[in-house]
Amino acid sequence: MKIIAGNWKMNGSRSALKEMVSGLQSLETNHTIILCVPYTMLGLESGRINIGAQDVSAHTHGAYTGEVSAQMIADTGAKYVIVGHSERRGYHNETHNTVRNKASAALSNGLIPIICVGETMEEKQAGKTMAVIESGVRESIPSDVNTPIIIAYEPRWAIGAGLTPTDAEIADAHALIAKTLSEMGLSGTPILYGASVKGSNAAEIMSIPNVDGVLVGGASLKCDDFIPIITSVK
Ligand code: PGA
């Protein structure tokens, strides 16, 4: 059983979510399906889809205009929240410290954080991929985790670019993450791969050791693209 998570980013609408919910309703699958949608789509009927948000405030409440707390997200019935996505780290200067605080806020409110780590093209070219991944895992995860979390390895240079690392590169990254998690007392934590996943490469990617599922951006927006990803994996 795999975890197939979609990240709608700043796309979609309430009616598009309704369409996706009905499109997936009759699908026979044992996989866990998650869709992380914009805040305005939280709380809608979601059928078999588990709903998540894409970001969360590190604060509990108060004068933080525009922010949404973990408690508010949980209050909509959502179960998951992405933290530390490449676009949050890149466009909003989120550090490991920020990401860790956001993950803590999620955990304190019963949400499962999907904590993203991954290297930029600059870091890859400088030969720093493994070091960046390991420090991302060690520094973005709160120290007192005793409820489920999910890690997503997302090579930042490959997101939305139609590029993917080689199978061997994905295998090495996931093996390192699994080893690091085990050293942190978190073995068994699911590790997703994300960046340019589509129907044509999902099965191969998910057959790589330590790849427990995928985090899908662009190809999660439409049933015609998302369903083949789910059905391609047995
Ligand atoms: P992509 O995005 O599948 O469009 O590359 C992945 C992500 O940002 O999670």
Side-chain angles (χ1 to χ4, degrees):
M1 209 188 76
K2 300 287 188 184
I3 297 170
I4 318 277
N7 170 12
W8 274 16
K9 308 191 180 184
M10 198 170 72
N11 294 296
S13 61
R14 293 157 71 97
S15 64
L17 180 57
K18 216 169 162 188
E19 230 172 82
M20 183 64 82
V21 169
S22 65
L24 294 191
Q25 207 48 44
S26 57
L27 198 67
E28 280 189 30
T29 176
N30 291 324
H31 303 310
T32 300
I33 302 168
I34 303 169
L35 267 187
C36 296
V37 294
Y39 290 133
T40 54
M41 296 164 214
L42 297 178
L44 298 180
E45 176 55 47
S46 64
R48 65 178 319 150
I49 303 174
N50 298 282
I51 294 292
Q54 301 170 9
D55 183 35
V56 61
S57 177
H59 306 287
T60 54
H61 65 278
Y64 299 101
T65 301
E67 296 202 26
V68 176
S69 73
Q71 189 180 20
M72 292 167 181
I73 293 170
D75 189 43
T76 68
K79 297 275 181 285
Y80 297 86
V81 61
I82 296 173
V83 293
H85 187 274
S86 169
E87 288 143 24
R88 300 292 318 175
R89 290 180 187 263
Y91 302 145
H92 302 272
N93 302 316
E94 291 191 5
T95 60
H96 295 328
N97 192 36
T98 318
V99 174
R100 192 171 63 244
N101 289 336
K102 290 185 170 194
S104 272
L107 289 166
S108 309
N109 287 279
L111 296 171
I112 299 178
I114 302 174
I115 303 171
C116 301
V117 299
E119 77 285 5
T120 61
M121 181 53 95
E122 207 180 7
E123 290 162 339
K124 179 180 166 63
Q125 285 170 341
K128 293 185 183 156
T129 298
M130 290 296 164
V132 167
I133 293 172
E134 181 168 353
S135 60
V137 171
R138 290 196 186 277
E139 294 173 40
S140 302
I141 299 178
S143 54
D144 51 350
V145 172
N146 47 32
T147 52
I149 62 169
I150 295 174
I151 300 296
Y153 167 56
E154 296 210 307
R156 296 176 59 180
W157 52 271
I159 293 175
L163 301 170
T164 46
T166 63
D167 288 2
E169 285 172 328
I170 296 176
D172 287 351
H174 280 245
L176 172 66
I177 294 170
K179 177 172 165 280
T180 308
L181 288 168
S182 136
E183 287 167 6
M184 295 171 77
L186 295 169
S187 36
T189 296
I191 308 167
L192 312 184
Y193 167 80
S196 303
V197 175
K198 41 190 191 284
S200 56
N201 63 12
E204 182 175 339
I205 289 171
M206 279 188 267
S207 70
I208 298 171
N210 297 305
V211 177
D212 302 304
V214 285
L215 179 54
V216 186
S220 70
L221 292 171
K222 293 198 186 103
C223 285
D224 287 353
D225 296 325
F226 197 40
I227 289 175
I229 294 175
I230 301 166
T231 54
S232 69
V233 190
K234 295 295 160 246

mmCIF file of all heavy atoms in Angstrom, residues 181-213:
data_model
loop_
_atom_site.group_PDB
_atom_site.id
_atom_site.type_symbol
_atom_site.label_atom_id
_atom_site.label_comp_id
_atom_site.label_asym_id
_atom_site.label_seq_id
_atom_site.Cartn_x
_atom_site.Cartn_y
_atom_site.Cartn_z
ATOM 1 N N LEU A 181 16.325 8.749 9.571
ATOM 2 C CA LEU A 181 15.115 8.621 10.394
ATOM 3 C C LEU A 181 15.307 7.531 11.444
ATOM 4 O O LEU A 181 14.892 7.688 12.603
ATOM 5 C CB LEU A 181 13.900 8.298 9.508
ATOM 6 C CG LEU A 181 13.390 9.465 8.638
ATOM 7 C CD1 LEU A 181 12.400 8.961 7.595
ATOM 8 C CD2 LEU A 181 12.732 10.539 9.511
ATOM 9 N N SER A 182 15.942 6.446 11.041
ATOM 10 C CA SER A 182 16.132 5.358 11.992
ATOM 11 C C SER A 182 17.069 5.800 13.125
ATOM 12 O O SER A 182 16.829 5.528 14.295
ATOM 13 C CB SER A 182 16.577 4.117 11.231
ATOM 14 O OG SER A 182 17.601 3.473 11.866
ATOM 15 N N GLU A 183 18.097 6.575 12.777
ATOM 16 C CA GLU A 183 18.995 7.097 13.820
ATOM 17 C C GLU A 183 18.268 8.076 14.747
ATOM 18 O O GLU A 183 18.662 8.274 15.885
ATOM 19 C CB GLU A 183 20.197 7.808 13.172
ATOM 20 C CG GLU A 183 21.178 6.821 12.546
ATOM 21 C CD GLU A 183 22.215 7.480 11.622
ATOM 22 O OE1 GLU A 183 22.268 8.729 11.534
ATOM 23 O OE2 GLU A 183 22.963 6.721 10.977
ATOM 24 N N MET A 184 17.209 8.679 14.234
ATOM 25 C CA MET A 184 16.430 9.629 15.045
ATOM 26 C C MET A 184 15.299 8.923 15.800
ATOM 27 O O MET A 184 14.457 9.573 16.415
ATOM 28 C CB MET A 184 15.840 10.720 14.137
ATOM 29 C CG MET A 184 16.895 11.595 13.482
ATOM 30 S SD MET A 184 16.169 12.680 12.214
ATOM 31 C CE MET A 184 15.400 13.955 13.228
ATOM 32 N N GLY A 185 15.255 7.599 15.707
ATOM 33 C CA GLY A 185 14.198 6.850 16.390
ATOM 34 C C GLY A 185 12.871 6.901 15.659
ATOM 35 O O GLY A 185 11.815 6.702 16.253
ATOM 36 N N LEU A 186 12.920 7.182 14.362
ATOM 37 C CA LEU A 186 11.672 7.353 13.600
ATOM 38 C C LEU A 186 11.582 6.364 12.445
ATOM 39 O O LEU A 186 11.031 6.673 11.383
ATOM 40 C CB LEU A 186 11.592 8.792 13.072
ATOM 41 C CG LEU A 186 11.478 9.896 14.132
ATOM 42 C CD1 LEU A 186 11.680 11.281 13.518
ATOM 43 C CD2 LEU A 186 10.128 9.825 14.828
ATOM 44 N N SER A 187 12.133 5.158 12.643
ATOM 45 C CA SER A 187 12.057 4.225 11.515
ATOM 46 C C SER A 187 10.606 3.840 11.268
ATOM 47 O O SER A 187 9.784 3.835 12.180
ATOM 48 C CB SER A 187 12.942 2.994 11.732
ATOM 49 O OG SER A 187 12.945 2.630 13.060
ATOM 50 N N GLY A 188 10.312 3.567 10.014
ATOM 51 C CA GLY A 188 8.926 3.257 9.641
ATOM 52 C C GLY A 188 8.182 4.492 9.142
ATOM 53 O O GLY A 188 7.085 4.389 8.594
ATOM 54 N N THR A 189 8.780 5.667 9.304
ATOM 55 C CA THR A 189 8.152 6.894 8.786
ATOM 56 C C THR A 189 8.085 6.818 7.256
ATOM 57 O O THR A 189 9.099 6.581 6.602
ATOM 58 C CB THR A 189 8.995 8.130 9.188
ATOM 59 O OG1 THR A 189 8.986 8.234 10.611
ATOM 60 C CG2 THR A 189 8.460 9.418 8.578
ATOM 61 N N PRO A 190 6.885 6.998 6.671
ATOM 62 C CA PRO A 190 6.800 6.942 5.207
ATOM 63 C C PRO A 190 7.616 8.050 4.552
ATOM 64 O O PRO A 190 7.654 9.184 5.031
ATOM 65 C CB PRO A 190 5.307 7.142 4.930
ATOM 66 C CG PRO A 190 4.607 6.942 6.219
ATOM 67 C CD PRO A 190 5.590 7.250 7.306
ATOM 68 N N ILE A 191 8.261 7.683 3.446
ATOM 69 C CA ILE A 191 9.071 8.649 2.685
ATOM 70 C C ILE A 191 8.511 8.724 1.266
ATOM 71 O O ILE A 191 8.535 7.739 0.528
ATOM 72 C CB ILE A 191 10.555 8.215 2.627
ATOM 73 C CG1 ILE A 191 11.089 7.914 4.036
ATOM 74 C CG2 ILE A 191 11.398 9.296 1.948
ATOM 75 C CD1 ILE A 191 12.444 7.180 4.033
ATOM 76 N N LEU A 192 7.997 9.894 0.910
ATOM 77 C CA LEU A 192 7.430 10.094 -0.425
ATOM 78 C C LEU A 192 8.484 10.708 -1.342
ATOM 79 O O LEU A 192 9.364 11.442 -0.881
ATOM 80 C CB LEU A 192 6.221 11.041 -0.374
ATOM 81 C CG LEU A 192 5.149 10.772 0.686
ATOM 82 C CD1 LEU A 192 3.984 11.754 0.499
ATOM 83 C CD2 LEU A 192 4.660 9.334 0.617
ATOM 84 N N TYR A 193 8.353 10.442 -2.624
ATOM 85 C CA TYR A 193 9.168 11.144 -3.621
ATOM 86 C C TYR A 193 8.258 12.163 -4.314
ATOM 87 O O TYR A 193 7.113 11.845 -4.675
ATOM 88 C CB TYR A 193 9.748 10.171 -4.671
ATOM 89 C CG TYR A 193 10.294 10.970 -5.830
ATOM 90 C CD1 TYR A 193 11.548 11.566 -5.737
ATOM 91 C CD2 TYR A 193 9.502 11.236 -6.955
ATOM 92 C CE1 TYR A 193 12.012 12.390 -6.752
ATOM 93 C CE2 TYR A 193 9.963 12.059 -7.975
ATOM 94 C CZ TYR A 193 11.218 12.633 -7.861
ATOM 95 O OH TYR A 193 11.659 13.472 -8.852
ATOM 96 N N GLY A 194 8.771 13.352 -4.561
ATOM 97 C CA GLY A 194 7.979 14.346 -5.290
ATOM 98 C C GLY A 194 8.836 15.120 -6.259
ATOM 99 O O GLY A 194 10.010 15.403 -5.968
ATOM 100 N N ALA A 195 8.316 15.463 -7.396
ATOM 101 C CA ALA A 195 8.885 16.287 -8.472
ATOM 102 C C ALA A 195 8.673 15.567 -9.795
ATOM 103 O O ALA A 195 9.252 14.507 -10.041
ATOM 104 C CB ALA A 195 10.370 16.604 -8.298
ATOM 105 N N SER A 196 7.791 16.174 -10.589
ATOM 106 C CA SER A 196 7.523 15.703 -11.950
ATOM 107 C C SER A 196 7.041 14.247 -12.018
ATOM 108 O O SER A 196 7.378 13.520 -12.938
ATOM 109 C CB SER A 196 8.757 15.897 -12.837
ATOM 110 O OG SER A 196 9.141 17.266 -12.844
ATOM 111 N N VAL A 197 6.244 13.848 -11.007
ATOM 112 C CA VAL A 197 5.638 12.508 -11.060
ATOM 113 C C VAL A 197 4.431 12.573 -11.984
ATOM 114 O O VAL A 197 3.644 13.516 -11.946
ATOM 115 C CB VAL A 197 5.200 12.048 -9.653
ATOM 116 C CG1 VAL A 197 4.449 10.714 -9.733
ATOM 117 C CG2 VAL A 197 6.400 11.932 -8.724
ATOM 118 N N LYS A 198 4.291 11.562 -12.834
ATOM 119 C CA LYS A 198 3.121 11.469 -13.710
ATOM 120 C C LYS A 198 2.768 10.000 -13.921
ATOM 121 O O LYS A 198 3.495 9.109 -13.452
ATOM 122 C CB LYS A 198 3.372 12.191 -15.029
ATOM 123 C CG LYS A 198 4.752 11.997 -15.636
ATOM 124 C CD LYS A 198 4.951 12.956 -16.805
ATOM 125 C CE LYS A 198 6.181 12.629 -17.609
ATOM 126 N NZ LYS A 198 7.441 13.012 -17.008
ATOM 127 N N GLY A 199 1.681 9.779 -14.641
ATOM 128 C CA GLY A 199 1.209 8.407 -14.845
ATOM 129 C C GLY A 199 2.271 7.510 -15.455
ATOM 130 O O GLY A 199 2.366 6.329 -15.142
ATOM 131 N N SER A 200 3.096 8.091 -16.316
ATOM 132 C CA SER A 200 4.067 7.271 -17.036
ATOM 133 C C SER A 200 5.321 6.918 -16.222
ATOM 134 O O SER A 200 6.072 6.032 -16.613
ATOM 135 C CB SER A 200 4.490 7.979 -18.323
ATOM 136 O OG SER A 200 4.979 9.259 -18.012
ATOM 137 N N ASN A 201 5.571 7.612 -15.110
ATOM 138 C CA ASN A 201 6.777 7.248 -14.339
ATOM 139 C C ASN A 201 6.469 6.840 -12.893
ATOM 140 O O ASN A 201 7.368 6.420 -12.161
ATOM 141 C CB ASN A 201 7.814 8.396 -14.365
ATOM 142 C CG ASN A 201 7.311 9.677 -13.713
ATOM 143 O OD1 ASN A 201 6.289 9.698 -13.032
ATOM 144 N ND2 ASN A 201 8.028 10.771 -13.921
ATOM 145 N N ALA A 202 5.193 6.939 -12.487
ATOM 146 C CA ALA A 202 4.851 6.707 -11.071
ATOM 147 C C ALA A 202 5.166 5.281 -10.624
ATOM 148 O O ALA A 202 5.740 5.079 -9.543
ATOM 149 C CB ALA A 202 3.375 7.019 -10.839
ATOM 150 N N ALA A 203 4.823 4.295 -11.442
ATOM 151 C CA ALA A 203 5.011 2.897 -11.020
ATOM 152 C C ALA A 203 6.492 2.605 -10.841
ATOM 153 O O ALA A 203 6.909 1.986 -9.857
ATOM 154 C CB ALA A 203 4.395 1.952 -12.043
ATOM 155 N N GLU A 204 7.302 3.088 -11.779
ATOM 156 C CA GLU A 204 8.743 2.822 -11.683
ATOM 157 C C GLU A 204 9.329 3.501 -10.437
ATOM 158 O O GLU A 204 10.085 2.899 -9.679
ATOM 159 C CB GLU A 204 9.442 3.350 -12.949
ATOM 160 C CG GLU A 204 10.937 3.060 -12.936
ATOM 161 C CD GLU A 204 11.628 3.461 -14.239
ATOM 162 O OE1 GLU A 204 10.941 3.580 -15.270
ATOM 163 O OE2 GLU A 204 12.859 3.660 -14.205
ATOM 164 N N ILE A 205 8.926 4.749 -10.220
ATOM 165 C CA ILE A 205 9.454 5.468 -9.048
ATOM 166 C C ILE A 205 9.048 4.760 -7.760
ATOM 167 O O ILE A 205 9.848 4.577 -6.848
ATOM 168 C CB ILE A 205 8.981 6.945 -9.069
ATOM 169 C CG1 ILE A 205 9.693 7.702 -10.189
ATOM 170 C CG2 ILE A 205 9.224 7.618 -7.718
ATOM 171 C CD1 ILE A 205 9.167 9.101 -10.468
ATOM 172 N N MET A 206 7.793 4.301 -7.714
ATOM 173 C CA MET A 206 7.331 3.676 -6.470
ATOM 174 C C MET A 206 7.854 2.254 -6.286
ATOM 175 O O MET A 206 7.621 1.643 -5.249
ATOM 176 C CB MET A 206 5.817 3.757 -6.377
ATOM 177 C CG MET A 206 5.386 5.140 -5.880
ATOM 178 S SD MET A 206 3.658 5.299 -5.521
ATOM 179 C CE MET A 206 3.041 5.902 -7.077
ATOM 180 N N SER A 207 8.559 1.729 -7.309
ATOM 181 C CA SER A 207 9.162 0.402 -7.116
ATOM 182 C C SER A 207 10.580 0.527 -6.542
ATOM 183 O O SER A 207 11.221 -0.462 -6.202
ATOM 184 C CB SER A 207 9.207 -0.353 -8.454
ATOM 185 O OG SER A 207 10.165 0.259 -9.299
ATOM 186 N N ILE A 208 11.076 1.751 -6.408
ATOM 187 C CA ILE A 208 12.419 1.970 -5.856
ATOM 188 C C ILE A 208 12.371 1.737 -4.340
ATOM 189 O O ILE A 208 11.421 2.181 -3.684
ATOM 190 C CB ILE A 208 12.894 3.420 -6.192
ATOM 191 C CG1 ILE A 208 12.993 3.599 -7.720
ATOM 192 C CG2 ILE A 208 14.212 3.742 -5.509
ATOM 193 C CD1 ILE A 208 13.226 5.033 -8.172
ATOM 194 N N PRO A 209 13.368 1.042 -3.783
ATOM 195 C CA PRO A 209 13.354 0.790 -2.338
ATOM 196 C C PRO A 209 13.221 2.083 -1.520
ATOM 197 O O PRO A 209 13.782 3.119 -1.898
ATOM 198 C CB PRO A 209 14.717 0.138 -2.074
ATOM 199 C CG PRO A 209 15.121 -0.440 -3.380
ATOM 200 C CD PRO A 209 14.525 0.425 -4.448
ATOM 201 N N ASN A 210 12.489 2.006 -0.431
ATOM 202 C CA ASN A 210 12.260 3.135 0.492
ATOM 203 C C ASN A 210 11.396 4.249 -0.098
ATOM 204 O O ASN A 210 11.299 5.325 0.494
ATOM 205 C CB ASN A 210 13.576 3.745 0.990
ATOM 206 C CG ASN A 210 14.405 2.765 1.788
ATOM 207 O OD1 ASN A 210 13.921 2.212 2.760
ATOM 208 N ND2 ASN A 210 15.636 2.534 1.365
ATOM 209 N N VAL A 211 10.775 4.027 -1.239
ATOM 210 C CA VAL A 211 9.815 5.011 -1.765
ATOM 211 C C VAL A 211 8.415 4.503 -1.403
ATOM 212 O O VAL A 211 7.928 3.535 -1.957
ATOM 213 C CB VAL A 211 9.951 5.207 -3.288
ATOM 214 C CG1 VAL A 211 8.879 6.179 -3.796
ATOM 215 C CG2 VAL A 211 11.346 5.733 -3.639
ATOM 216 N N ASP A 212 7.827 5.162 -0.406
ATOM 217 C CA ASP A 212 6.545 4.694 0.126
ATOM 218 C C ASP A 212 5.353 5.380 -0.527
ATOM 219 O O ASP A 212 4.208 5.142 -0.139
ATOM 220 C CB ASP A 212 6.503 4.941 1.643
ATOM 221 C CG ASP A 212 7.661 4.227 2.336
ATOM 222 O OD1 ASP A 212 7.779 3.008 2.166
ATOM 223 O OD2 ASP A 212 8.460 4.906 3.016
ATOM 224 N N GLY A 213 5.633 6.250 -1.478
ATOM 225 C CA GLY A 213 4.546 6.935 -2.155
ATOM 226 C C GLY A 213 5.082 8.140 -2.882
ATOM 227 O O GLY A 213 6.308 8.323 -2.995
#
